[in-house]
Amino acid sequence: MSLKPKYQSTELDHIRDTLTDVVSSLGEANSNIKKLDAKFDKRFDEHDKRFDECDRRFDEHDRRFDEHDRRFDEHDKRFDKIDKRFDEQEKRFDKIEDTLSIIVNHLKR
């Protein structure tokens, strides 16, 4: 028979079991952290892709807005030219009307 007391062997077994449990728990925690990190990376990549798509769509809308704005400016210039021509025609008609009025008044005498 061994001269070692039982309580020391049991205490060492308990310490070993406790340390084994701690190491096992740390390993599980590390594994869970790695899984969560992978999930986070995947979600981050998905959000990054969605953001890039939104950014691309925004750029496209911005480009289309600029194109419409340019076309609007062209139409506005054309309208201004037509309006100017209309004003010139109106002045000419006013002169013609004045001339005709003078002629009619002169003929009435």
Side-chain angles (χ1 to χ4, degrees):
M1 289 196 108
S2 171
L3 295 174
K4 291 184 182 178
K6 265 188 166 181
Y7 74 93
Q8 284 181 349
S9 177
T10 304
E11 188 176 334
L12 289 176
D13 287 342
H14 176 69
I15 292 171
R16 185 193 67 218
D17 291 343
T18 302
L19 288 175
T20 300
D21 289 343
V22 167
V23 169
S24 176
S25 294
L26 288 174
E28 284 180 38
N30 189 34
S31 174
N32 289 339
I33 289 172
K34 286 182 180 180
K35 288 177 186 175
L36 289 173
D37 192 41
K39 272 186 180 178
F40 176 79
D41 285 345
K42 182 180 177 183
R43 284 188 179 166
F44 181 81
D45 290 343
E46 289 170 356
H47 288 299
D48 195 39
K49 285 179 185 176
R50 288 173 61 195
F51 177 78
D52 288 344
E53 178 62 22
C54 289
D55 193 39
R56 185 196 63 75
R57 289 174 55 203
F58 176 80
D59 289 344
E60 178 64 23
H61 288 295
D62 192 42
R63 185 194 63 75
R64 288 174 53 201
F65 176 83
D66 289 344
E67 177 64 22
H68 288 298
D69 192 43
R70 183 190 61 78
R71 290 175 56 196
F72 178 79
D73 287 344
E74 288 174 3
H75 290 300
D76 195 39
K77 287 176 186 177
R78 286 177 53 200
F79 177 79
D80 287 343
K81 285 180 183 179
I82 290 170
D83 193 41
K84 183 179 175 182
R85 284 177 42 205
F86 179 77
D87 289 343
E88 290 170 359
Q89 290 294 327
E90 191 173 33
K91 286 178 186 178
R92 285 180 56 206
F93 288 145
D94 285 345
K95 284 182 181 181
I96 292 172
E97 184 180 28
D98 289 343
T99 305
L100 287 174
S101 180
I102 291 172
I103 292 172
V104 167
N105 282 336
H106 184 67
L107 289 173
K108 282 184 178 181
R109 289 185 194 172

